[in-house]
Amino acid sequence: MHRPDLSAPAPPTSTDRVEALDALRGLALCGILPVNMIAIAGLPSLPGSWQGALPQWLEVTAHQRFFPLFSFLFGLSTALILDGAAGRTARPWLVLLRRLLALGVLGAAHQLLQPGEALLPYAIVGLVVLLPASWLPRPVIALGGAVAIGVALTFTSGGLLLIPGLFLLGLAAARYGLHRQIAAPNRAAWTAVLAGAVVAAVPLLSIQVDTIENSGFDQVSSTAGLVMAVGYASALVLLTASPVGPWVSSVLAPLGRLALTNYLSATLLVLLLTMVPAFSGPGGYRVLLPFAAAILVVQVVASRWWLRRFRYGPVEWVLRSISWWTPVRMTQADGGHPDARSSL
């Protein structure tokens, strides 16, 4: 039997992607963007009782809704990365270790532009929690994730403290083959999940609206966010399996495949937009959604153009090359498929 060269493991060659996972990641980016824009531009919050203002609508539709989905997908993608690396090197954990360290450096630099960004916490939690957990049996991982989320929601207001649990649940989900269920969904099962999320979300949203001044700082808004994240994800899985699925995937999947590049470039674009006088003060909310839509359109068009020519986004390529400690091939093979199973 051929023993792999431990000093120079072979980089990935050809594996199938799950396009629906890319679409889910793209959806998460769409929801995260307007929330991050508020923080980057320093738009003022509008405290008080429910008035139906845009910041309040974003609290009940976007804030804390898409970040959990993105975090869960990170954990799931990590499992796919490890599984793919296990077939090419005897030390797949070393590939992930280098990846997380590089992500931490990238996140630390990104913190200078967007304080409170997610990459640095992802790298830290990945090193402390996700990497060690990858050696555990999948029932233990799943139980640990559920307990971690339960503790975070019971004793805190969630936020970044949900990351460990979401990472673990994502890792366990991949071990149980959820990505295959997303690629070829059982419509009845996913419809039941969506229905359950809707039923659970209604009373939670009612309470959140009544206590909107505490949104983001209490257990109700965090719990509502998790429930709605499940609802959004299940709705998109069903949509990608419908007749309009190819069109939906053609828009969201490229965005998700270049998730890291798009996440970072969005920060730069928002910082440029802060130079526009209209995007400041309370009046900045009037242009928030049009600006967010414009950024997403640019990123979708650019991502589609880029992926017709290259396998990875520029930042994804750097991260992957560091992970494998050798430059990976960037250009597309004729008629070939990307050799990555996940973007993050």
Side-chain angles (χ1 to χ4, degrees):
M1 178 180 294
H2 174 68
R3 182 179 180 83
D5 182 359
L6 302 185
S7 63
T13 54
S14 179
T15 56
D16 294 331
R17 294 188 70 96
V18 178
E19 193 171 57
L21 283 179
D22 290 325
L24 282 170
R25 197 176 290 109
L27 175 68
L29 286 176
C30 291
I32 289 171
L33 178 60
V35 176
N36 282 352
M37 289 176 71
I38 294 174
I40 296 171
L43 297 182
S45 59
L46 299 179
S49 60
W50 180 263
Q51 303 168 11
L54 178 59
Q56 294 174 331
W57 277 108
L58 289 174
E59 281 293 325
V60 298
T61 59
H63 188 214
Q64 299 179 303
R65 274 62 177 162
F66 295 94
F67 175 72
L69 176 58
F70 202 68
S71 301
F72 174 84
L73 291 172
F74 187 96
L76 192 152
S77 297
T78 296
L80 299 183
I81 291 168
L82 280 170
D83 291 346
R88 305 178 185 102
T89 175
R91 294 188 291 183
W93 60 268
L94 187 57
V95 176
L96 181 60
L97 176 62
R98 286 193 291 254
R99 188 182 190 89
L100 291 172
L101 290 173
L103 188 68
V105 173
L106 190 61
H110 191 222
Q111 284 271 348
L112 301 176
L113 300 177
Q114 182 188 331
E117 62 87 53
L119 299 183
L120 183 57
Y122 274 20
I124 295 172
V125 175
L127 290 168
V128 175
V129 176
L130 200 53
L131 182 56
S134 65
W135 280 285
L136 298 175
R138 62 186 186 179
V140 176
I141 300 172
L143 179 61
V147 170
I149 288 177
V151 169
L153 290 178
T154 301
F155 298 104
T156 74
S157 58
L160 294 177
L161 294 177
L162 288 172
I163 293 178
L166 290 167
F167 275 12
L168 291 174
L169 284 186
L171 181 64
R175 296 285 186 250
Y176 281 104
L178 181 66
H179 53 292
R180 290 187 288 273
Q181 297 296 324
I182 291 174
N186 180 316
R187 296 189 182 186
W190 284 100
T191 300
V193 172
L194 175 58
V198 170
V199 170
V202 170
L204 289 169
L205 286 174
S206 178
I207 298 173
Q208 186 179 0
V209 167
D210 289 341
T211 58
I212 194 66
E213 65 276 6
N214 298 322
S215 185
F217 302 99
D218 61 1
Q219 290 90 345
V220 171
S221 58
S222 294
T223 305
L226 285 175
V227 171
M228 289 187 68
V230 173
Y232 286 154
S234 55
L236 184 62
V237 169
L238 289 169
L239 196 60
T240 56
S242 72
V244 299
W247 180 85
V248 173
S249 293
S250 71
V251 174
L252 292 178
L255 193 65
R257 278 182 55 187
L258 271 64
L260 189 53
T261 295
N262 286 325
Y263 179 72
L264 296 173
S265 63
T267 297
L268 298 176
L269 291 172
V270 174
L271 287 173
L272 288 175
L273 288 174
T274 57
M275 301 177 184
V276 178
F279 194 38
S280 62
Y285 283 105
R286 289 194 293 267
V287 296
L288 175 66
L289 294 184
F291 279 178
I295 289 174
L296 290 172
V297 168
V298 169
Q299 290 187 329
V300 168
V301 172
S303 296
R304 287 169 60 89
W305 178 90
W306 185 273
L307 288 171
R308 284 196 294 268
R309 293 159 176 80
F310 305 104
R311 294 183 169 203
Y312 313 105
V315 184
E316 285 80 4
W317 179 83
V318 171
L319 192 63
R320 184 166 290 266
S321 296
I322 293 174
S323 301
W324 289 95
W325 212 239
T326 185
V328 297
R329 185 161 63 87
M330 181 65 153
T331 56
Q332 288 279 24
D334 292 339
H337 295 282
D339 61 355
R341 296 179 73 176
S342 82
S343 298
L344 288 178

